[in-house]
Amino acid sequence: MIRWLYLFAGCLALALGIAGAILPLLPTVPFIIFAAFCFAQSSPRLERQLLEHPHLGPHIQRWRRNGAISRKGKRAATAAFALSALLGIVFVSWPFSLVPVAAAFIGGTWIWGRPE
């Protein structure tokens, strides 16, 4: 039963990670890393496919090795955070427009504090 829950969570995280590649507010790499974790618990074949993926695999392996995020990944996350904060300021009424700004600040601070 637990294996199936991990498999479901991994598939959901992978779907959200794919959506995050398109949507500016949704992150990609954290969902992919979580999917790899879930697949490690439920499906070695799916985990191996993620680890061997030419674009996603290095991010997962770097994270597993020492919790690192590449400088390119940090820049991309910062750009996505900035865009999300800007969209929040433009399209969301006060004081709720501060929520994406606060999330961008908190998330950006955490990301830039990670090793490379």
Side-chain angles (χ1 to χ4, degrees), residues 14 39 43-54 56-57 60:
L14 184 60
F39 291 151
S43 174
R45 181 181 61 84
L46 292 175
E47 178 196 22
R48 187 175 55 256
Q49 285 180 334
L50 277 180
L51 291 173
E52 293 174 354
H53 190 275
L56 303 175
I60 298 166

Side-chain angles (χ1 to χ4, degrees), residues 44-105:
R45 181 181 61 84
L46 292 175
E47 178 196 22
R48 187 175 55 256
Q49 285 180 334
L50 277 180
L51 291 173
E52 293 174 354
H53 190 275
H55 298 293
L56 303 175
H59 294 290
I60 298 166
Q61 293 169 11
R62 198 175 304 115
W63 178 260
R64 284 184 173 179
R65 220 176 10 258
N66 58 0
I69 301 172
S70 70
R71 183 163 302 253
K72 183 179 176 183
K74 289 178 180 183
R75 287 184 185 137
T78 301
F81 283 147
L83 177 61
S84 298
L86 181 63
L87 290 173
I89 290 169
V90 171
F91 294 110
V92 179
S93 63
W94 179 265
F96 303 108
S97 62
L98 294 178
V99 172
V101 173
F105 178 75

Side-chain angles (χ1 to χ4, degrees), residues 19-57:
I22 300 165
L23 301 172
L25 191 59
L26 207 56
T28 299
V29 174
F31 284 117
I32 300 300
I33 290 170
F34 183 64
F37 168 78
C38 290
F39 291 151
Q41 309 301 315
S42 62
S43 174
R45 181 181 61 84
L46 292 175
E47 178 196 22
R48 187 175 55 256
Q49 285 180 334
L50 277 180
L51 291 173
E52 293 174 354
H53 190 275
H55 298 293
L56 303 175

